[in-house]
Amino acid sequence: MFRKILIANRGEIALRIICACKELGIPTVAVYSQADQNALHVRFADEAVCIGPPPSSESYLNIPAVISAAEVTNTDAIHPGYGFLAESAYFAEVCEACGIAFIGPSPEVIRMMGDKDEARKAMQEAGVPIVPGTGKLKSPFSSAASLAAEIGYPVIVKAAAGGGGKGMRIVRAPEELADSLEIAQNEALSAFGSGDVYIEKYLPVARHIEFQLLADHQGNVVHLGERECSIQRRYQKLIEESPSPYMTSELRNTIGQLAVRAARSVNYTNAGTMEFVVDDQGHYYFMEMNTRIQVEHPVTEMVTGIDLIKEQIRLAAREGLGYSQKDISFRGNALECRINAECPETFYPSPGKLNTFHPPVGIGVRVDSAAYNEYVITPHYDSMIAKIITWGKNRKESIDRMKRALDMTVVEGVRTTIPLHQRILNDEDFQAGRISTRFLERWFPNSK
Ligand code: MV4
């Protein structure tokens, strides 16, 4: 096992990783920017190293600074959390070259999955259904019009280096294609440094369902069921849950086993998520694979009882899984609401000081947060204040708990997404489990 773990992140996920390390008896090192001097991850880690000024490009994304902090503290492993360096194959390689374990999959598999076109090819080879589409297209896109016509409209243009909805454009008719390709290419070039784009058939009423996987270095892979993440706005997830109200245990076994086989076929290790879109007929298609721990991992922890961060650490230390698929069972339902410092109507960030922060408590309620009274949400980082997670013996109990938990949450000083969550939880369609990626369109017709 590791002697000491450095956490290359901030906020609630840094605290979450400290929790796992404390329970495992492993000392921790926090890194922080000048904006985070008073942050809880700094307080609760055993050591802390300032790695630069507030902008993340000069601190949390500064690889030499992070590696130096690991060297001076004699750290033998780094947990990257999510965001920042979590999906940088280059960073994982640098860790390896410095003799520091990267708590995540191999650089090779991070790189493969980071290229959505490569990922699609690998999954197709493993027998996983993918949406009809093209390979990477080259400017001036002379072949695009005929390829898109062959696929059939609507189509969606995606950036190969994208993910999570970045660099995507839905194209409803042939005359919009050329402009969409151009815009997507430019967006991708400035956001990811690569302008590679490709075209897929667009599935209009789709659900976003993702499977959690765990894999050791001996080729053992299990799935921990799915998370339903269809309630999004501008590709920002608002509410996640497990299990999905659409899933049958039969479909879970089918997709789960397929995902397990596919992960094994690319020598996947550590924790990962395979994301699918599922249409109204129950057809499912691979979308992308996330090679990190995800924001919404707690809902899976709540229904399986498995601590995903501890598992990541154990697996990175090359311990075997120690259990198989038949040992994993699912109990009840869990929901997660992301509470952001945002205007609930416009979704504009609302940074500022939390004059009062009182998180909800009580049976079946979990709060993952790094906020406290007088905590300041700075515009330098993302605007999440807390994740409220509820567990119930069934979906109704979990929803009822979430409603009362939100009623008993006090956030003063900034605007939050709590009113929007309350509106969703009180919605008849949501309560009946009738959700899709278009759920919020009715209320926000101008967004995608
Ligand atoms: C799609 C899709 C439908 N058809 N691709 C969005 C995030 C990224 N991981 C993949 N995403 C999607 N890709 C095809 N071919 C639907 C989504 C999607 C979505 C689209 C519009 C509005 C909300 C959405 C929520 C989840 C997934």
Side-chain angles (χ1 to χ4, degrees), residues 131 156 158 164-165 168 170 200-203 206 208 230 232 235 275 277 287-288 437 448:
V131 188
I156 183 165
K158 295 188 178 182
M168 292 180 20
I170 299 164
E200 270 178 16
K201 172 125 195 102
Y202 180 66
L203 306 175
H208 172 139
S230 296
Q232 314 190 353
Y235 311 118
E275 184 188 307
V277 294
M287 280 291 127
E288 53 191 71
T437 55
K448 279 181 261 171

Side-chain angles (χ1 to χ4, degrees), residues 250-289:
E250 215 171 39
L251 191 56
R252 177 175 305 113
N253 289 337
T254 305
I255 306 182
Q257 279 168 28
L258 203 56
V260 162
R261 255 199 290 128
R264 203 177 282 124
S265 80
V266 296
N267 296 317
Y268 198 87
T269 53
N270 214 267
T273 301
M274 233 177 251
E275 184 188 307
F276 295 86
V277 294
V278 183
D279 73 11
D280 269 351
Q281 282 83 51
H283 300 128
Y284 51 89
Y285 306 91
F286 170 81
M287 280 291 127
E288 53 191 71
M289 182 155 193

